[in-house]
Amino acid sequence: MPDQDRLKKAAAEAAVALVIDGMIVGLGTGSTARFVLEAIGRRVNEGLRVIGIPTSDRSAEQARERGIPVSTLGAHRKIDLTIDGADEVERGSLRLIKGLGGALLHEKIVASASKQLVIVVDESKLVGRLGEKVPVPVEVVPFGWEATNDRLKLLGAIPRLREGTDGKAFVTDSGNYILDCFFGVIPDSAALQRELDGVVGVVEHGLFLGLATQVIVGGAENVQTLRP
Ligand code: A5P
């Protein structure tokens, strides 16, 4: 297993130790969340009773393959604990950028319905300021997306339409497009959040501020838990 995967797995397993019998558990999306699903699946096979609320079609499929019972947010509006990955974690504030895996809309809806949001990352995801390494994914309505693209440029972004492996526009589980918006280092992510929330045509964006209740970081030396 590559080193980075070992770190992701260690963080994922530490997070899954927080899952208690009877919980409604939000299931994240991505390569780190996959290790979470594996670890929950093992515990379910040993007798743990949980109901998983997947954040994507992909994680629903992976959960079912591992024997984890899945349901919907409609049926379970209050989630005890969600475990998900992130693309960047700002040290100190624990503000996040999420969505490089394309599931940011459902992830944010599930995170917002969760009593606890535990983020699992390897140490390469920690940054001093959001935007240091990755763009902010912005989910937009396909209708007139070019006009939304222009509006995002006015906020200082360099947007790029995300493409799928077929070279066509990537389509999210909700049928939308994603514009990966390069801002560079973001000095005031709360201000940017307000601006993005006000752009017509934007469905949701990958700034997750004030949502993470803890971040579990797999590092070369140890696994560390960060709290805001
Ligand atoms: C999915 O939309 C994302 O928010 C993921 O949680 C994020 O991209 C982290 O993915 P990895 O664990 O694969 O890096």
Side-chain angles (χ1 to χ4, degrees), residues 121-166:
V121 291
D122 67 82
E123 60 192 356
S124 71
K125 306 280 185 66
L126 292 178
V127 295
R129 282 275 179 200
L130 291 183
E132 274 179 19
K133 296 185 179 176
V134 301
V136 179
V138 178
E139 183 156 343
V140 301
V141 174
F143 176 82
W145 69 267
E146 298 89 339
T148 310
N149 193 71
D150 291 345
R151 290 196 187 92
L152 290 167
K153 281 188 193 163
L154 295 176
L155 300 184
I158 303 174
R160 188 188 297 155
L161 181 68
R162 190 177 302 181
E163 293 181 354
T165 43
D166 56 4

Side-chain angles (χ1 to χ4, degrees), residues 8 29-33 58 84-87 98-104 107 120 125:
K8 291 177 182 182
T29 297
S31 58
T32 318
R58 208 180 341 146
D84 201 352
D87 302 303
K98 284 181 54 55
L100 290 193
L104 68 106
E107 289 174 340
V120 283
K125 306 280 185 66

Side-chain angles (χ1 to χ4, degrees), residues 134-214:
V134 301
V136 179
V138 178
E139 183 156 343
V140 301
V141 174
F143 176 82
W145 69 267
E146 298 89 339
T148 310
N149 193 71
D150 291 345
R151 290 196 187 92
L152 290 167
K153 281 188 193 163
L154 295 176
L155 300 184
I158 303 174
R160 188 188 297 155
L161 181 68
R162 190 177 302 181
E163 293 181 354
T165 43
D166 56 4
K168 294 187 187 148
F170 172 85
V171 178
T172 69
D173 284 351
S174 284
N176 298 311
Y177 291 167
I178 290 184
L179 296 170
D180 287 309
C181 290
F182 293 83
F183 288 96
V185 170
I186 301 167
D188 186 347
S189 46
L192 180 59
Q193 169 173 256
R194 282 193 296 276
E195 289 181 324
L196 290 171
D197 285 341
V199 176
V200 66
V202 166
V203 179
E204 198 42 87
H205 54 77
L207 290 176
F208 282 51
L209 312 187
L211 288 171
T213 50
Q214 55 181 291

Side-chain angles (χ1 to χ4, degrees), residues 25 27-28 33-34 36-42 44-45 50-73 173:
V25 182
L27 306 173
R34 192 170 51 84
V36 172
L37 294 172
E38 279 176 10
I40 295 178
R42 277 197 301 275
V44 165
N45 289 327
V50 290
I51 293 173
I53 309 297
T55 52
S56 62
D57 295 346
R58 208 180 341 146
S59 64
E61 193 184 316
Q62 290 169 351
R64 284 196 197 95
E65 281 167 8
R66 287 165 178 80
I68 304 168
V70 296
S71 184
T72 62
L73 188 57
D173 284 351

